[in-house]
Amino acid sequence: MYQLPVEQFDAITLWHVLEHVHQLDKYLQQIEKCLQSNGVLFVAVPNYTSNDATYYKQFWAAYDVPRHLYHFSPKSMEVLLHKHGF
């Protein structure tokens, strides 16, 4: 993985990125290191508990396997990000 400067960024955005990452824990560890202590992480991911997912069921567009390696809920995002210090 490419090494970014430590505490270099005051904001990082991950708009529909995390569901594609193979080494999720390593990726988030790197992001945590390069984000400033008062920095902000903005994340958008497919939410399999959303109204959209409920309505479309197995035809929900975000069930895009194999490109989407993960599907998240608000609770799973909370647990994952807390694990990495966010």
Side-chain angles (χ1 to χ4, degrees):
M1 176 178 283
Y2 180 75
Q3 295 297 313
L4 296 171
V6 175
E7 294 187 14
Q8 180 69 31
F9 302 100
D10 53 297
I12 296 175
T13 61
L14 300 174
W15 250 242
H16 293 274
V17 171
L18 288 181
E19 65 268 25
H20 301 279
V21 174
H22 285 272
Q23 296 179 330
L24 193 56
D25 285 324
K26 286 184 180 181
Y27 195 84
L28 288 170
Q29 288 168 0
Q30 178 66 31
I31 288 171
E32 193 275 329
K33 287 179 185 176
C34 64
L35 192 63
Q36 293 177 1
S37 62
N38 62 344
V40 179
L41 176 64
F42 296 93
V43 179
V45 293
N47 174 5
Y48 75 89
T49 65
S50 69
N51 291 335
D52 194 45
T54 301
Y55 179 80
Y56 287 105
K57 299 179 176 46
Q58 73 270 21
F59 301 108
W60 182 47
Y63 287 136
D64 189 12
V65 177
R67 290 187 292 170
H68 286 180
L69 304 172
Y70 304 95
H71 297 94
F72 299 96
S73 68
K75 182 62 179 174
S76 70
M77 285 303 301
E78 180 182 340
V79 170
L80 179 64
L81 294 175
H82 180 74
K83 173 183 174 183
H84 291 284
F86 295 102

